[in-house]
Amino acid sequence: MGKIAFVFSGQGAQYSGMGKALYESSPAAKAVFDMADGIRPGTSRQCFEGTMEELTRTVNTQPCVFTADLAAARALLEAGVQPDCAAGFSLGEIAALAFAGVLSDEDAFKLVCRRGELMDKAAKENPGAMAAVMKLPPETVEEICAAFGSTYPVNYNSPAQTVVATTTENAEAFCEAVKKAGGRAKLLPVSGAFHSPFMADAAAGLAEYIRDVGFADPKIPVYSDFTAKPYEGDYRELVRAQVESPVRWQSIIEDMAAQGVDTFIEVGVGKTLQGLIKRILPDAEALKCETPEEAQAICAACRAE
């Protein structure tokens, strides 16, 4: 086995009951949930019992998914699996920063709560839509976007999947243009046009918020969604810019592989990143960890190598 990367999931895969099994079985995971409840009472209840309507509101989604992600990573570390590097998709990047010690758990959680509030506000004031484009290379998607106003590639997920942010007025016409180009587009059930200029106000608000937040050097390399490279330079600017800039997920995974990573473990909610990694690197080991059983199986596999 080569190097191991922990990858932290973003919002979109949330579900009622997330993290509960780890909370009940892992002291390290429970400590994360307890921390979240101490700052934002009711976070655990939302994770374990919240309705989907409740969990899909950005102001709830972000703190809940962050908590489930970080709890899964800490449970896996507690079980004996130590990663060599980390990355997170959008929201997941903040959990990766907490795991790597760049932010304290408390500061990271507070930041996520504020981030969710700002993005929710920006989405309401600057309405937009998002569509996942399949079966077309990113370059073609960029060309189609250029033909529309206020339409941007925002998630470079894999060689054949790019997510686009656009206006609600352009959404249907954009999807039709993708179809004419030989691709397939699916409108996403999201509340805003994230990682685009639609989020400029949220990015500005976040810059103001994090001005007095303490950042430390990472204990392991953490990749930035904004640069697709490990964190260096102005950490606050990387956190700010990520909100209104594309997530360069494919480049992150390819760079990790170039540095010797051959095992990727999605920690937290769902298996979206696991699927994307298999499309980017078909020969890589892509695993997921969101239950005690999965944590123990991964630990046993790592010990067997």
Side-chain angles (χ1 to χ4, degrees):
M1 179 182 287
K3 294 180 179 179
I4 297 171
F6 279 9
V7 292
F8 293 74
S9 55
Q11 67 185 89
Q14 62 273 3
Y15 63 92
S16 184
M18 58 183 174
K20 186 176 182 181
L22 287 174
Y23 173 88
E24 294 172 343
S25 65
S26 163
K30 183 178 184 299
V32 175
F33 280 99
D34 289 347
M35 175 277 299
D37 283 335
I39 295 171
R40 180 180 179 271
T43 299
S44 293
R45 184 205 61 77
Q46 286 184 333
C47 288
F48 304 159
E49 304 170 10
T51 65
M52 280 308 296
E53 181 181 1
E54 185 178 15
L55 288 170
T56 51
R57 290 185 59 213
T58 299
V59 291
N60 296 328
T61 311
Q62 295 206 15
C64 287
V65 171
F66 168 91
T67 303
D69 281 4
L70 186 58
R74 290 278 168 72
L76 195 52
L77 183 66
E78 181 182 54
V81 180
Q82 172 68 57
D84 297 285
C85 58
F89 194 100
S90 186
L91 161 69
E93 185 174 307
I94 310 304
L97 291 174
F99 180 82
V102 177
L103 294 165
S104 70
D105 289 359
E106 293 79 7
D107 281 347
F109 184 76
K110 292 175 185 176
L111 189 158
V112 162
C113 291
R114 184 61 179 145
R115 184 180 186 271
E117 292 167 357
L118 290 165
M119 292 175 72
D120 185 62
K121 183 172 184 286
K124 290 174 180 174
E125 294 176 351
N126 303 287
M130 297 181 78
V133 179
M134 282 75 73
K135 300 183 178 180
L136 291 178
E139 297 78 14
T140 302
V141 177
E142 290 170 351
E143 291 173 4
I144 297 172
C145 287
F148 290 83
S150 301
T151 302
Y152 316 93
V154 293
N155 297 341
Y156 290 86
N157 287 345
S158 73
Q161 185 186 107
T162 305
V163 174
V164 168
T166 187
T167 63
T168 52
E169 296 80 10
N170 282 343
E172 292 294 343
F174 173 79
C175 291
E176 187 60 33
V178 168
K179 185 177 179 180
K180 288 181 179 178
R184 184 165 63 90
K186 178 184 178 183
L187 289 174
L188 301 177
V190 295
S191 59
F194 303 122
H195 296 289
S196 75
F198 288 83
M199 291 288 115
D201 290 345
L206 195 63
E208 179 71 20
Y209 176 80
I210 61 178
R211 203 166 49 179
D212 298 322
V213 175
F215 286 73
D217 289 330
K219 297 173 183 175
I220 58 173
V222 177
Y223 280 72
S224 162
D225 288 346
F226 178 57
T227 64
K229 297 291 183 182
Y231 261 66
E232 63 177 3
D234 186 345
Y235 294 178
R236 289 179 178 81
E237 172 58 17
L238 295 179
V239 170
R240 183 209 66 79
Q242 189 239 47
V243 170
E244 61 175 351
S245 305
V247 174
R248 302 187 178 280
W249 192 251
Q250 180 181 342
S251 296
I252 288 172
I253 299 305
E254 290 173 342
D255 193 82
M256 284 181 165
Q259 301 304 316
V261 174
D262 64 5
T263 301
F264 299 83
I265 304 172
E266 180 172 5
V267 286
V269 183
K271 55 183 179 182
T272 299
L273 302 184
Q274 182 187 31
L276 293 178
I277 291 164
K278 292 301 289 184
R279 294 186 186 98
I280 298 167
L281 301 173
D283 296 329
E285 188 76 38
L287 309 170
K288 74 182 187 75
C289 177
E290 60 177 319
T291 68
E293 294 77 17
E294 287 169 347
Q296 291 303 321
I298 291 169
C299 185
C302 290
R303 286 173 180 166
E305 291 290 338

